[in-house]
Amino acid sequence: MKTPASSEKNEGLLVLYSVSVSEIAQFKSQQWHTINYALLLFAAVIAIASNVSEMECPEVLGLYLLTTAVLLASLYVIRTLFGSIEVRRKRLTHIRTRMSPDFMDCWRYGESEEEVLDNPDEKIKLSWLFYSVLILAAIATFWLLTKLTWYV
């Protein structure tokens, strides 16, 4: 028989579990938004360089600096969000150690503990994809900026 304290504890764990899952989804969404905005800013730099005739050296330098700032800021935000996701994943794993056997059976979709390991370090991480996209886009922006401003 469950005691009121036990029921409150389970309720609190379920709320924390739900909040953690929601935060992970939000952080992942923010990562995609960061990538999209960075790519949009890189495109804006190229659009400026291609539509302004005869740019002076300080203006060109400003576009290079803007591209560098966007790259560094984006990498920082993506890295920070990955850290936040890791914390939430570890929290979820810890919460699951306190859940009922029925909950864990459902969470493992009926498979055994050996078949479905609960290890946040083995989750799929897209950091390599995000970092690669940002770095390649910045390199392409630098290249196009150089072609558009120095070799006209």
Side-chain angles (χ1 to χ4, degrees):
M1 179 176 211
K2 289 186 179 180
T3 64
S6 173
S7 178
E8 287 177 15
K9 174 186 154 194
N10 287 340
E11 210 173 286
L13 287 175
L14 287 173
V15 168
L16 184 58
Y17 193 89
S18 177
V19 166
S20 296
V21 168
S22 175
E23 287 175 338
I24 289 172
Q26 181 183 16
F27 294 146
K28 287 182 178 185
S29 177
Q30 288 174 342
Q31 286 177 320
W32 284 106
H33 288 303
T34 301
I35 295 290
N36 290 337
Y37 287 127
L39 294 176
L40 186 63
L41 288 170
F42 291 149
V45 166
I46 297 306
I48 291 168
S50 64
N51 287 317
V52 175
S53 60
E54 297 187 33
M55 293 182 70
E56 299 295 324
C57 190
E59 295 165 329
V60 174
L61 181 61
L63 291 177
Y64 279 104
L65 290 174
L66 177 61
T67 301
T68 303
V70 168
L71 174 63
L72 294 175
S74 300
L75 290 173
Y76 174 77
V77 169
I78 295 295
R79 186 178 59 107
T80 301
L81 290 168
F82 271 117
S84 298
I85 290 170
E86 284 298 309
V87 168
R88 285 0 176 250
R89 284 180 170 170
K90 289 178 181 178
R91 181 183 296 155
L92 289 173
T93 299
H94 187 68
I95 291 170
R96 284 192 289 270
T97 64
R98 298 168 188 259
M99 295 301 219
S100 71
D102 286 339
F103 177 90
M104 289 307 297
D105 183 54
C106 291
W107 181 81
R108 287 191 303 271
Y109 47 91
E111 301 289 337
S112 70
E113 288 182 43
E114 294 78 30
E115 292 173 307
V116 181
L117 299 176
D118 191 7
N119 186 351
D121 295 329
E122 293 181 5
K123 301 283 186 190
I124 295 174
K125 296 175 180 74
L126 295 177
S127 56
W128 63 271
L129 173 67
F130 291 151
Y131 297 147
S132 298
V133 166
L134 285 171
I135 291 168
L136 289 173
I139 290 170
T141 303
F142 287 133
W143 178 75
L144 285 169
L145 192 55
T146 301
K147 294 287 277 181
L148 291 168
T149 57
W150 298 110
Y151 299 109
V152 176

